[in-house]
């Protein structure tokens, strides 16, 4: 079974970009990478999915990047605001 690893806690100041990384060393070839965020008292919200490369996320001034070997990915939030404070998850799936 594929597993992912993420930092337990990341902090930044408002307007200072932050990189949220995810390691998935046992990813299968067919899997895509999914990133979600969850606000308190609400269900997870899908932000983006990708198989490889980069995906721009203009709605949150961010970008998803997947490493060339697909063993890791990172969600970059370029101008985070207080309203972006949430739990961010990565996941793998077909």
């Amino acid at each position: 079974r594929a597993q992912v690893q993420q930092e337990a806690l990341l902090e930044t100041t408002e307007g200072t970009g932050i990189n949220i990384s995810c390691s998935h060393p046992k990813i299968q070839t067919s899997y895509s990478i999914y990133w979600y965020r969850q606000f308190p008292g609400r269900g997870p919200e899908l932000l983006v999915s990708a198989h490889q490369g980069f995906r721009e996320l203009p709605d949150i001034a961010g970008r998803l990047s997947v490493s060339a070997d697909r063993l890791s990915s990172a969600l970059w939030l370029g101008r985070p605001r207080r309203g972006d404070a949430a739990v961010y998850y990565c996941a793998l799936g077909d």
Side-chain angles (χ1 to χ4, degrees):
R1 180 175 287 228
Q3 295 181 344
V4 299
Q5 297 174 334
Q6 295 181 255
E7 301 96 341
L9 176 66
L10 287 175
E11 295 181 352
T12 188
T13 56
E14 193 168 21
T16 300
I18 189 170
N19 202 54
I20 307 171
S21 62
C22 180
S23 173
H24 23 83
K26 297 181 180 179
I27 189 170
Q28 296 184 26
T29 304
S30 63
Y31 281 177
S32 289
I33 300 154
Y34 299 84
W35 278 84
Y36 297 85
R37 72 175 170 185
Q38 186 172 16
F39 295 106
R42 298 174 61 180
E45 164 195 9
L46 179 63
L47 292 175
V48 63
S49 65
H51 193 266
Q52 60 187 17
F54 300 91
R55 292 282 304 273
E56 296 291 338
L57 305 169
D59 289 349
I60 60 170
R63 182 173 81 165
L64 171 65
S65 59
V66 179
S67 64
D69 59 13
R70 297 189 357 105
L71 300 183
S72 65
S73 60
L75 181 67
W76 168 253
L77 303 179
R79 299 186 302 275
R81 302 169 306 202
R82 287 182 182 270
D84 292 316
V87 178
Y88 289 78
Y89 299 99
C90 69
L92 306 176
D94 291 331

